[in-house]
């Protein structure tokens, strides 16, 4: 498992020679080992930027990002980073099994068949091993995508709106699934989402972000014990927190 | 942010492309001077000198005018026929498989076989234009049918649900959706028409760049031959660039 | 079965009928204008004469096609590895794509001799460009976000090429193959005609000089049939590939 630390991190994007946009204001953030963090915010608030910085896909303009005291690229090089996107990013010419073998092949390791079979079972796709992505529903593709992120037993799991393209019903059942899967692995996880219920149901801590420049405007420790079930979502406190957080997503929201 | 990177990258790419072009010309010059290709590959400067000699320039200009008009007529004829055939296929879907096969077969007609037949039936002057029209017809037919099929299905349903007549639907939906594919086809058709016209001239047209290429080859006037080939390439490239520009303008307008 | 054949071929049959009627009603000399029936007659009566040239042409067309496709793919991969090389080569490639290659046959013949290898080279050059252009765009047409995934897994350049870019380019390569096959037979025949190196083009040239028009047109009918068959085969392949890779 991994501890993540962001110190004075900001990110600026150049538009042209004169102008640039501050995507992320200077921010500090510490994520504890084994913690599930949800970054909640409207689109364009810089939440994916944070994810890219932690993944080492992008460099901060100022400040430092460290994972267990080391730069993210070290984690990348050891293939200890699991990542899943809204655009499932499955290779369309490979079967479910083939897509799960991919991380092993990239790492230059022999695919661990038993491990892969276990993961397929974990995400509930037993019997679909040889199906190709085009033959699967959107929810099933996201299951494969999450299973692939878990293939190499990562120390850190990054989920970039993994259920953003799914309908509300599928999304809810996928939330339950993810909660169950995470319960088994307990990996340090960052989830980027713009759905309040999803953040509250899955995370230990919800960070609400606001855009231009991106910054954290609110932090909520989620009080519900694990494992969480559907009933949690019907809890009065859950509803209350949903309303509260929805309000803080409004553009006029003032930091307390 | 992406646009900014594109601009920077675009500038760099253009620079690289210009350098690549100059390198190509330099390589030609060096290869010609060193005599790797024997007498067949003269230096670039020798080829360019041809253009400074006035009677040769006049010869090339006259030939180019003949070839361009043949290619142009072929382009027009092929495009018209291609569009009309594609329209027929769209109007009467039952005919489509047969028209598809016809387009493929017509395209497979070897120019060398068709040339003599056309020379006899249509005359030497008309042969280049007709030979240019055939591959253009194929390209445009393929581009137009795939373009006509590309109209958004939901939009089609919307038109049907609104009780639009075939004509209205065609004017406001199908024709417009087919435009990008058609223009892409046009871009390729320009070069194809030039090839057709030049090959057509080989069957004994009175004048044209194809004739110049053939005669100079037989008379060992190698620099003049290269000069003629460069003119053909230049015309094709100009046509390609112009149709590419039109394509981009239309694309920007439609997206 | 017959109905399906008619559905696909009615237009071609109509064209042949028009030709036959045209010949029968016009008063051209039968030495200069030949009817499709008489060509068919020569094809069936002297079928064996056509076999060797047809095989020769097919062999050179496919050989050149393979050579051109491989060269185009190889160059596209080289361009893929370096922005500088891709920039440098792109302008030359564009230039040559727009250049009518068939017009270069006389020059190629002069440079490399009036031999079969020039024929192979002509077809290879002709099919090289579609292969280069389509492979180049295919290597860059990756599934959404997959580059980031490979980056996050610290994939080496080699793994990125073998596991991601090359398989992603296969559908575009299939398009290149279809476009290339559409030309391969025709270009081979023109090259054979000009250089008289054997094959159907050579046969056409020789029989034309002897005013044996039936045989000359028979040779071109064979070339047409070969070209059409290859084109339809490669279209079928392209469809299969599209299904498999999308």
């Amino acid at each position: 498992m991994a501890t993540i630390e962001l110190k004075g991190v900001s990110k600026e994007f150049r538009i042209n020679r004169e102008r640039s946009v501050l995507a992320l204001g200077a921010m500090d953030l510490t994520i504890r080992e084994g913690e599930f963090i949800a970054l909640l915010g409207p689109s364009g608030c810089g939440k994916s930027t944070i994810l890219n910085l932690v993944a080492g896909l992008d460099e901060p303009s100022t400040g430092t990002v460290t994972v267990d005291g080391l730069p993210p690229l070290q984690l990348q090089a050891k293939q200890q980073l699991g990542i899943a996107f809204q655009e499932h990013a499955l290779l369309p010419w490979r079967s479910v099994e083939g897509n799960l073998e991919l991380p092993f092949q990239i790492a230059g390791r022999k695919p661990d068949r038993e491990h892969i079979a276990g993961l397929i079972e974990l995400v509930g796709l037993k019997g679909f091993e040889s199906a190709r992505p085009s033959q699967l529903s959107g929810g099933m593709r996201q299951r494969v995508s999450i299973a692939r992120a878990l293939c190499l037993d990562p120390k850190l799991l990054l989920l970039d709106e993994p259920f953003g393209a799914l309908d509300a019903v599928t999304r809810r059942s996928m939330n339950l699934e993810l909660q169950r899967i995470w319960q088994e692995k307990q990996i340090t996880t960052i989830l980027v989402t713009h759905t309040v219920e999803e953040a509250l149901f899955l995370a230990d801590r919800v960070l609400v972000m606001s855009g231009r420049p991106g910054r954290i405007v609110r932090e909520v420790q989620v009080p519900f014990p694990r494992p969480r079930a559907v009933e949690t979502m019907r809890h009065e406190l859950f509803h209350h927190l949903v309303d509260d957080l929805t309000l803080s997503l409004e553009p006029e929201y003032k930091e307390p | 942010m992406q646009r900014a990177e594109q601009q920077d990258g675009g500038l760099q790419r253009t620079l690289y492309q210009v350098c690549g072009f100059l390198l190509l010309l330099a390589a030609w010059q060096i290869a010609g001077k060193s005599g790797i290709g024997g007498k067949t590959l003269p230096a670039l400067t020798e080829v360019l000198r041809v253009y400074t000699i006035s009677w040769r320039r006049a010869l090339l200009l006259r030939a180019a005018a003949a070839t361009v008009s043949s290619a142009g007529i072929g382009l027009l004829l092929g495009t018209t026929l291609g569009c009309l055939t594609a329209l027929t296929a769209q109007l009467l879907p039952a005919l489509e498989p047969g028209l598809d096969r016809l387009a493929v077969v017509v395209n497979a007609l070897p120019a060398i076989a068709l040339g003599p037949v056309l020379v006899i039936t249509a005359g030497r002057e008309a042969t280049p234009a007709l030979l240019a029209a055939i591959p253009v017809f194929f390209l445009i037919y393929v581009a137009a049918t795939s373009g006509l099929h590309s109209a958004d299905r939901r939009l089609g349903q919307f038109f049907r649900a609104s009780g639009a007549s075939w004509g209205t639907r065609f004017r406001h939906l199908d024709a417009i959706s087919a435009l990008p594919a058609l223009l892409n086809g046009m871009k390729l058709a320009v070069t194809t028409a030039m090839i057709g016209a030049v090959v057509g001239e080989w069957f004994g047209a009175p004048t044209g760049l194809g004739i110049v290429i053939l005669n100079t080859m037989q008379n060992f006037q190698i620099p003049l031959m290269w000069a003629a080939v460069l003119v053909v390439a230049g015309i094709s490239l100009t046509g390609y660039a112009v149709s590419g520009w039109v394509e981009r303008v239309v694309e920007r307008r439609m997206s | 079965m017959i109905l399906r054949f008619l559905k696909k071929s009615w237009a071609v049959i109509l064209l042949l009928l028009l030709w036959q009627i045209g010949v029968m009603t016009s008063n051209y000399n039968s030495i200069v204008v030949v009817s499709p029936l008489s060509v068919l007659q020569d094809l069936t009566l002297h079928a064996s004469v056509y076999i060797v040239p047809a095989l020769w042409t097919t062999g050179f067309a496919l050989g050149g096609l393979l050579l051109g496709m491989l060269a185009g793919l190889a160059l596209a991969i080289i361009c893929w590895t370096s922005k500088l090389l891709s920039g440098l080569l792109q302008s030359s490639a564009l230039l040559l794509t727009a250049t009518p290659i068939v017009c270069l046959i006389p020059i190629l013949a002069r440079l490399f001799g009036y031999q079969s290898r020039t024929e192979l080279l002509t077809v290879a050059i002709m099919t090289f460009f579609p292969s280069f252009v389509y492979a180049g765009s295919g290597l860059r047409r990756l599934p959404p976000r997959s580059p980031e995934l490979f980056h996050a897994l610290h994939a080496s350049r080699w793994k990125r090429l073998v596991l991601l870019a090359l398989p992603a380019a296969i559908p575009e390569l299939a398009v290149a193959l279809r476009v290339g096959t559409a030309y391969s037979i025709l270009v081979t025949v023109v090259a054979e005609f000009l250089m008289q190196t054997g094959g159907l083009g050579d046969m056409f040239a020789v029989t034309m000089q002897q005013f044996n028009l039936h045989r000359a047109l028979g040779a071109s009918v064979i070339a047409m049939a070969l070209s059409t068959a290859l084109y339809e085969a490669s279209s079928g392949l392209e469809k299969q590939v599209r299904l498999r890779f999308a």
Side-chain angles (χ1 to χ4, degrees):
Chain A
M1 304 306 117
T3 312
I4 300 158
E5 226 163 333
L6 280 77
K7 277 194 198 138
V9 167
S10 72
K11 179 72 190 172
E12 219 174 350
F13 289 113
R14 292 272 300 272
I15 289 183
N16 52 34
R17 278 179 223 299
E18 294 93 44
R19 293 200 312 138
S20 60
V21 159
L22 195 60
L24 212 58
M27 69 154 64
D28 298 295
L29 174 65
T30 307
I31 300 170
R32 288 186 303 278
E33 200 170 297
E35 195 179 14
F36 195 131
I37 288 282
L39 292 174
L40 181 66
S43 48
C45 71
K47 47 193 194 324
S48 292
T49 309
I50 296 185
L51 206 74
N52 286 346
L53 292 175
V54 174
L57 294 173
D58 216 341
E59 297 271 324
S61 304
T62 66
T64 53
V65 180
T66 55
V67 182
D68 282 343
L70 297 169
L73 282 174
Q74 297 264 355
L75 202 70
Q76 253 190 34
K78 284 187 270 178
Q79 270 105 13
Q80 285 174 331
L81 193 69
I83 195 161
F85 306 101
Q86 177 179 333
E87 308 86 347
H88 53 78
L90 298 174
L91 303 187
W93 54 85
R94 284 178 173 235
S95 65
V96 168
E97 215 167 16
N99 267 295
L100 295 189
E101 282 168 8
L102 183 74
F104 290 96
Q105 288 169 341
I106 292 177
R109 284 189 235 163
K110 215 173 150 287
D112 183 344
R113 306 233 158 253
E114 233 170 276
H115 186 51
I116 290 174
L119 279 173
I120 291 178
E121 190 154 2
L122 179 69
V123 299
L125 284 176
K126 210 167 162 19
F128 288 94
E129 288 84 353
S130 52
R132 271 186 280 110
S134 59
Q135 297 163 319
L136 300 176
S137 69
M140 288 161 117
R141 284 180 208 159
Q142 283 310 334
R143 286 163 199 254
V144 182
S145 171
I146 287 167
R148 184 178 58 187
L150 294 170
C151 258
L152 300 175
D153 287 321
K155 279 181 149 183
L156 174 60
L157 186 60
L158 302 175
L159 305 171
D160 194 353
E161 302 199 27
F163 311 132
L166 303 181
D167 62 89
V169 178
T170 317
R171 171 181 272 236
R172 181 168 286 205
S173 77
M174 287 302 292
N175 285 343
L176 282 167
E177 286 280 302
L178 183 58
Q179 139 87 13
R180 180 177 61 75
I181 293 164
W182 191 79
Q183 198 69 34
E184 275 195 30
K185 306 267 176 187
Q186 305 252 347
I187 308 165
T188 315
T189 301
I190 304 178
L191 168 76
V192 163
T193 181
H194 53 241
T195 313
V196 179
E197 287 89 343
E198 188 167 278
L200 271 176
F201 181 70
L202 288 168
D204 297 320
R205 192 150 53 111
V206 178
L207 303 175
V208 182
M209 292 188 66
S210 153
R212 288 167 205 280
R215 63 195 192 287
I216 294 169
V217 291
R218 213 176 147 192
E219 194 179 317
V220 174
Q221 200 73 41
V222 181
F224 307 108
R226 289 183 190 275
R228 296 171 192 161
V230 207
E231 287 72 42
T232 312
M233 292 194 231
R234 301 199 193 110
H235 208 282
E236 197 176 326
L237 184 59
F238 191 89
H239 287 303
H240 175 72
L241 278 171
V242 168
D243 292 344
D244 193 18
L245 285 177
T246 310
L247 211 66
S248 58
L249 281 176
E250 299 289 327
E252 304 84 43
Y253 179 74
K254 291 277 176 289
E255 291 169 51
Chain B
M1 144 220 158
Q2 262 178 345
R3 175 155 294 184
E5 272 169 17
Q6 268 169 12
Q7 266 172 11
D8 274 9
L11 197 71
Q12 196 186 20
R13 202 171 326 127
T14 317
L15 193 73
Y16 284 160
Q17 279 173 358
V18 171
C19 287
F21 182 62
L22 292 177
L23 270 177
L24 185 76
L25 296 183
W28 182 355
Q29 177 70 11
I30 291 164
K33 278 279 182 230
S34 70
I36 301 174
K39 283 210 172 66
T40 324
L41 189 65
L44 178 63
T45 42
E46 266 180 77
V47 176
L48 291 180
R49 196 172 305 136
V50 172
Y51 299 122
T52 60
I53 304 163
S54 64
W55 68 268
R56 292 205 153 154
R57 203 170 49 216
L59 171 80
L60 283 173
L61 267 177
R62 225 176 319 121
T67 307
V68 166
S69 69
S70 298
I73 293 168
L75 198 63
L76 210 66
L77 197 66
T79 308
T80 315
L81 278 176
C83 286
L84 283 178
T85 317
L87 270 182
T88 317
Q90 168 85 353
L91 260 176
L92 303 163
L95 299 183
E96 200 175 334
L99 291 173
D100 281 352
R101 170 71 58 91
L102 178 74
V104 173
V105 169
V106 165
N107 188 52
L109 286 169
I112 54 157
L114 213 57
V117 176
L118 286 178
V119 165
I120 294 161
T121 50
R124 289 180 191 284
E125 281 85 2
T127 302
L130 288 174
L131 272 186
I134 286 169
V136 171
F137 159 76
F138 173 70
L139 267 175
I140 295 297
Y141 173 75
V142 170
T145 33
S146 80
L148 284 171
H149 282 308
S150 76
D152 194 322
R153 273 222 347 264
R154 274 164 303 174
L155 271 176
Q157 280 162 358
F158 166 75
F159 271 86
R160 196 168 319 148
S162 324
S165 70
W166 187 88
T168 325
R169 186 196 136 125
F170 178 78
R171 203 148 33 102
H172 293 289
L173 178 65
D174 294 334
I176 294 169
S177 333
L179 215 53
L182 196 64
L183 285 168
N184 192 30
M186 281 299 278
K187 206 167 61 180
L188 300 173
V190 176
T191 312
T192 314
M194 278 303 285
I195 297 180
V198 168
V199 173
E201 284 165 359
W202 287 349
F203 295 100
T207 170
L209 289 168
I211 297 300
V212 174
I213 292 175
L214 215 59
N215 284 344
T216 50
M217 185 182 75
Q218 279 152 3
N219 301 331
F220 287 97
Q221 293 167 293
I222 303 297
L224 185 56
M225 174 173 86
W226 277 100
V229 169
L230 276 191
V231 172
V232 176
I235 294 168
S236 304
L237 262 182
T238 313
Y240 188 88
V242 168
S243 46
W245 176 75
V246 172
E247 189 191 6
R248 271 199 303 283
V249 168
V250 170
E251 237 167 40
R252 203 168 311 146
R253 174 77 183 72
M254 283 182 60
S255 62
Chain C
M1 184 70 195
I2 293 172
L3 215 69
R4 246 187 68 201
F5 174 77
L6 273 180
K7 199 172 153 78
K8 282 200 91 174
S9 303
W10 64 266
V12 178
I13 295 168
L14 191 72
L15 194 71
L16 288 175
L17 269 177
L18 281 177
W19 176 13
Q20 180 75 36
I21 292 165
V23 171
M24 289 190 324
T25 52
S26 74
N27 42 11
Y28 282 121
N29 189 328
S30 75
I31 292 175
V32 280
V33 176
V34 182
S35 75
L37 279 179
S38 61
V39 174
L40 192 72
Q41 192 186 17
D42 193 62
L43 272 175
T44 45
L45 288 181
H46 306 278
S48 58
V49 187
Y50 294 98
I51 291 174
V52 174
L55 285 177
W56 176 280
T57 301
T58 314
F60 273 99
L62 290 181
L65 183 67
L66 190 70
L67 217 63
M69 290 286 294
L70 285 178
L73 179 62
L75 200 65
I77 290 173
I78 291 171
C79 284
W80 179 83
T81 58
S82 145
K83 228 180 174 175
L84 176 71
L85 276 176
S86 116
L88 287 182
L89 289 172
Q90 233 166 25
S91 56
S92 315
L94 179 75
L95 198 70
L96 288 163
T97 313
T99 306
I101 311 287
V102 181
C103 308
L104 294 180
I105 295 178
I107 290 180
L108 288 172
R110 278 237 168 274
L111 273 175
F112 299 98
Y114 284 80
Q115 289 169 27
S116 308
R117 63 167 186 199
T118 311
E119 194 182 325
L120 202 66
L121 201 72
T122 313
V123 184
I125 291 177
M126 194 73 194
T127 47
F128 162 81
F129 293 105
S131 166
F132 174 69
V133 171
Y134 283 104
S137 76
L139 287 170
R140 283 173 180 80
R141 189 162 298 175
L142 308 174
R145 296 305 284 269
S146 57
E148 280 102 324
L149 176 78
F150 274 66
H151 189 161
L153 286 167
H154 212 75
S156 62
R157 197 178 270 274
W158 169 249
K159 298 265 179 193
R160 240 179 265 193
L161 175 67
V162 173
L163 295 175
L164 183 61
L166 272 182
I170 288 177
E172 299 281 303
L173 279 174
V175 179
L177 185 71
R178 175 169 58 84
V179 175
T181 45
Y183 295 127
S184 62
I185 293 275
L186 291 182
V187 176
T188 312
V189 168
V190 173
E192 284 166 351
F193 176 76
L194 285 173
M195 292 184 283
Q196 310 223 332
T197 44
L200 292 169
D202 187 24
M203 185 180 180
F204 181 86
V206 171
T207 46
M208 271 303 266
Q209 279 152 19
Q210 299 162 346
F211 289 103
N212 189 351
L213 241 67
H214 302 110
R215 187 136 312 158
L217 285 183
S220 46
V221 165
I222 300 275
M224 260 173 74
L226 280 175
S227 185
T228 311
L230 276 181
Y231 183 83
E232 302 231 321
S234 58
S235 310
L237 185 74
E238 188 198 331
K239 265 187 203 128
Q240 291 288 318
V241 167
R242 276 195 187 286
L243 277 180
R244 179 70 181 73
F245 278 79

